[in-house]
Amino acid sequence: MEYIRITSIDNPLFRAMHDLMKEVFPSEEVLEYALWKEPLEDPGIRVFVAVHEGKVVGATEYRYYDDLQVAMTDFTIIGQAGLGIGRFLARKRWADLEALAVKSGKPMIGMFAEIYDPYRIEGHAFGGVKPMDPYVRREVLSHLGYKRIDFPYVHPSWENNGEAVEELDLCFLPTDEDMTALDAAIVEKFLKGYYAILANKPQAWHDMVGGLGQQTALALLPL
């Protein structure tokens, strides 16, 4: 299996990846095809596909914020069961992030990820691919060490329509397994930067970020 970076919407592998995204994610979670042009060309945004026998069978997007010493996994797609795609992507991504942290001269604190709450996203088939089922994914990510950040999370829709998406939890994978809380200022700064591209954010999102500014530390809880 190959781990190939995508840096242009003109790459045929990107079309295959985008089609795969539309199969497994709800529409509000998928950025329009043409709007990917700038993100793919941004050197700070890393989009990779897993290619097996010439076919895109998985993908992941992530980024590293050396000023905050944290990473963010935007998404992970497993397009087919039985090939070990999830482990392949996780290992390749982590090795790449570790190299970026070394290059920055500061250790990585951990990695954010938005994780579906299966009890709030019931009814979406996620392309019929069982490893993408929210119940399965949440348990796998829990085993990897992800923890739920203890605050009510609101996600602005990627359709940029001002709608609030509330079926997700913001989670964190600390490099120190004994970490029990995360600096609220890191979460606040991260979210402001991460969603700066979306002009139409719901008022609930602004209220959430304002609330983070009133706190010092956020507990890391089991998934």
Side-chain angles (χ1 to χ4, degrees):
M1 199 176 301
E2 298 176 272
Y3 191 64
I4 300 175
R5 188 174 184 184
I6 305 296
T7 58
S8 169
I9 62 173
D10 297 324
N11 188 326
L13 294 176
F14 176 68
R15 171 62 74 181
M17 188 197 89
H18 197 260
D19 288 344
L20 191 58
M21 289 183 72
K22 290 188 292 184
E23 286 180 21
V24 302
F25 289 137
S27 60
E28 66 269 15
E29 293 298 304
V30 182
L31 191 65
E32 183 183 334
Y33 187 94
L35 296 180
W36 276 91
K37 185 179 187 302
E38 289 187 12
L40 287 176
E41 294 172 355
D42 184 336
I45 298 177
R46 307 179 76 77
V47 178
F48 286 82
V49 291
V51 178
H52 177 67
E53 296 180 348
K55 179 183 177 183
V56 173
V57 294
T60 185
E61 175 186 325
Y62 53 97
R63 59 195 81 191
Y64 188 67
Y65 299 83
D66 53 13
D67 57 331
L68 297 175
Q69 296 171 256
V70 298
M72 169 63 175
T73 297
D74 299 328
F75 62 79
T76 300
I77 297 174
I78 299 168
Q80 187 177 331
L83 292 177
I85 298 166
R87 178 169 173 77
F88 174 79
L89 291 174
R91 290 179 63 205
K92 290 289 189 179
R93 178 175 59 220
W94 193 258
D96 188 31
L97 287 169
E98 285 187 323
L100 292 172
V102 168
K103 186 176 179 180
S104 77
K106 296 176 289 185
M108 179 169 55
I109 296 172
M111 179 161 50
F112 289 106
E114 293 174 327
I115 299 174
Y116 283 106
D117 179 345
Y119 298 99
R120 288 183 284 164
I121 194 67
E122 288 182 310
H124 187 80
F126 288 85
V129 181
K130 209 58 185 172
M132 293 298 293
D133 183 291
Y135 291 95
V136 176
R137 295 186 72 200
R138 198 171 178 97
E139 188 61 27
V140 169
L141 291 167
S142 176
H143 276 71
L144 287 176
Y146 277 95
K147 299 182 180 183
R148 180 175 65 84
I149 306 173
D150 188 22
F151 76 112
Y153 184 58
V154 177
H155 160 92
S157 170
W158 282 109
E159 292 180 305
N160 201 23
N161 55 13
E163 294 294 321
V165 180
E166 299 181 340
E167 294 89 4
L168 297 146
D169 292 315
L170 186 64
C171 300
F172 192 70
L173 172 62
T175 52
D176 177 2
E177 293 184 5
D178 296 323
M179 182 185 288
T180 58
L182 184 61
D183 186 344
I186 290 178
V187 179
E188 179 186 8
K189 186 174 181 181
F190 161 71
L191 289 174
K192 285 181 176 178
Y194 186 69
Y195 285 111
I197 190 174
L198 294 179
N200 299 316
K201 302 182 189 71
Q203 185 57 45
W205 185 88
H206 292 291
D207 294 342
M208 174 195 72
V209 172
L212 290 173
Q214 307 301 313
Q215 301 185 66
T216 54
L218 301 168
L220 296 176
L221 305 177
L223 270 181

